[in-house]
Amino acid sequence: MNRSKEINYLNSIALHQPFGIVGVSGETGIGKTTVLNFVNPEGVFTMRVNISLRDSMESILYDLLHSLAFALERVEGVSGFAKEVRKWITDEVATIKGFSLGVSFGVNAGLTHEKSIRPRFNFFKAREKLGELIKQTVQRKGKFLLIIDELDKEKKEDVLRVIDSIKNFIITGNFVVILSLPFSIYREYAADRLRWNESGNLENIFKDIVFVEPLKKSEIKELIVKRLGHRIELVEDGVLDIVAEFSDGNPRDGLWILTKAIYDNIQKERLGKENLINTINKTIIEYT
Ligand SMILES: Nc1ncnc2c1ncn2[C@@H]1O[C@H](COP(=O)(O)OP(=O)(O)OP(=O)(O)O)[C@@H](O)[C@H]1O
Ligand SMILES: [Mg+2]
């Protein structure tokens, strides 16, 4: 693991900060999701949601609201409102999808031409409902930590726009958000360069950004030893040093190249250094 520093820091933010949004950033595969999975501040009501970024700002907000409502449906005292919210989203989406597919739900029948405009996501209403859902949860549960892990990294600008446009609804007492962010955003944040709208930069949104750094070579080796378990015998001495070197501190890259080498040499009894080097060379040719 070797991420206790980051985990402890995030736990303590969740515990002691009265409100706000905190980012967790780092290159892909470095371990952001892994760190988030271990954040669990004692006595703080914690929920985790994933958002997968789709085509628009609206759908990011809908996705977030839907995931949160779904999770809160099982929470006593909030479940009534959560169900209501989820039903609202489901109906909205059905109407919009139905419309675009040419399905009539009857509600549109009889509308005059000008009224039968294409239905649109109701961003403003969705944002209000999100705020209300948070408020009710805080009332019921006290301090509330929401951990949002985003899956797709393409639309970073859109994530920030959504967060910015809903921040007045989510920056509220006793509510802390931890959000994973692509590395590029951190870089721009650090350089204070990202002026993605007139009102300012990332500092207006995030209270702090925690950077998940590459691991040490020894930590990569340790992590792989743990992962391999007794199968470590199938790997020759020195192989892990090369894997660690190749990984450059990125656990996913390390695990990936080792797995690849194992499959390239599946017929062999043990994986030797030369086998791994061959796989690395082959991979470098493939990817450059
Ligand atoms: N500290 C760690 N100890 C053990 N395994 C780890 C650690 N960090 C990451 N890993 C492993 O490395 C891989 C990548 O980690 P993870 O998914 O957390 O990265 P990420 O930064 O969230 O990536 P992405 O940018 O794609 O979301 C996973 O297989 C995970 O199990
Ligand atoms: Mg991740």
Side-chain angles (χ1 to χ4, degrees):
M1 262 311 297
N2 304 301
R3 291 295 192 200
S4 41
K5 197 179 74 201
E6 291 87 346
I7 295 166
N8 292 340
Y9 181 65
L10 290 167
N11 277 336
S12 116
I13 284 183
L15 206 55
H16 302 299
Q17 288 281 355
F19 57 84
I21 309 169
V22 177
V24 171
S25 182
E27 67 184 73
T28 172
I30 209 77
K32 297 181 293 294
T33 300
T34 308
V35 165
L36 292 181
N37 286 342
F38 282 87
V39 172
N40 199 6
E42 221 181 298
V44 176
F45 178 69
T46 303
M47 301 235 82
R48 294 158 211 279
V49 297
N50 286 317
I51 48 171
S52 44
L53 308 184
R54 309 235 181 83
D55 31 8
S56 67
M57 268 175 72
E58 283 86 353
S59 55
I60 294 171
L61 176 59
Y62 268 51
D63 197 15
L64 174 62
L65 187 55
H66 185 272
S67 307
L68 186 62
F70 185 63
L72 290 172
E73 276 183 13
R74 279 154 283 166
V75 175
E76 219 196 294
V78 197
S79 104
F81 185 62
K83 281 186 182 140
E84 210 178 283
V85 169
R86 199 156 77 89
K87 182 171 182 320
W88 175 76
I89 300 174
T90 313
D91 289 349
E92 288 264 302
V93 172
T95 312
I96 294 162
K97 287 227 170 99
F99 191 93
S100 60
L101 294 170
V103 181
S104 167
F105 285 92
V107 271
N108 287 335
L111 287 184
T112 59
H113 179 66
E114 79 220 75
K115 272 194 183 156
S116 67
I117 43 165
R118 188 186 177 82
R120 292 183 48 92
F121 284 116
N122 194 336
F123 196 91
F124 302 100
K125 212 160 172 189
R127 160 172 104 158
E128 257 166 44
K129 288 191 188 288
L130 180 67
E132 184 59 30
L133 204 51
I134 292 166
K135 213 174 85 196
Q136 291 204 11
T137 309
V138 170
Q139 269 165 10
R140 213 50 214 208
K141 293 283 173 185
K143 191 67 169 284
F144 178 17
L145 169 66
L146 179 63
I147 298 178
I148 306 174
D149 197 7
E150 46 100 14
L151 304 171
D152 184 343
K153 278 100 191 89
E154 300 311 311
K155 301 233 174 144
K156 57 165 184 167
E157 302 264 301
D158 280 354
V159 181
L160 289 180
R161 289 217 165 77
V162 171
I163 302 288
D164 188 46
S165 63
I166 65 176
K167 71 171 189 267
N168 293 336
F169 294 77
I170 65 176
I171 296 187
T172 164
N174 256 349
F175 180 60
V176 173
V177 178
I178 299 179
L179 174 76
S180 75
L181 287 174
F183 181 62
S184 52
I185 292 196
Y186 175 82
R187 215 167 28 210
E188 291 170 54
Y189 171 81
D192 193 23
R193 270 193 286 109
L194 192 71
R195 307 225 166 241
W196 51 279
N197 72 16
E198 290 76 38
S199 71
N201 54 40
L202 286 176
E203 271 154 71
N204 293 337
I205 303 181
F206 294 101
K207 215 162 213 175
D208 195 5
I209 294 191
V210 174
F211 183 41
V212 181
E213 308 250 7
L215 292 169
K216 296 196 200 80
K217 304 244 154 84
S218 58
E219 292 171 333
I220 295 283
K221 278 165 66 178
E222 189 188 324
L223 167 170
I224 290 172
V225 169
K226 276 194 196 145
R227 197 60 81 91
L228 286 176
H230 68 276
R231 287 165 298 173
I232 187 77
E233 287 162 25
L234 307 175
V235 167
E236 227 172 59
D237 268 6
V239 162
L240 295 192
D241 289 301
I242 302 171
V243 171
E245 199 63 46
F246 175 88
S247 77
D248 212 9
N250 185 310
R252 181 179 291 148
D253 290 351
L255 291 163
W256 175 75
I257 199 68
L258 181 61
T259 311
K260 218 164 149 55
I262 290 172
Y263 281 111
D264 279 353
N265 298 280
I266 201 88
Q267 74 293 350
K268 301 218 172 65
E269 234 157 69
R270 290 185 93 200
L271 184 74
K273 285 203 275 192
E274 325 68 56
N275 305 136
L276 176 62
I277 290 168
N278 282 341
T279 296
I280 291 177
N281 287 337
K282 216 177 73 188
T283 308
I284 290 173
I285 293 166
E286 267 171 40
Y287 283 82
T288 50

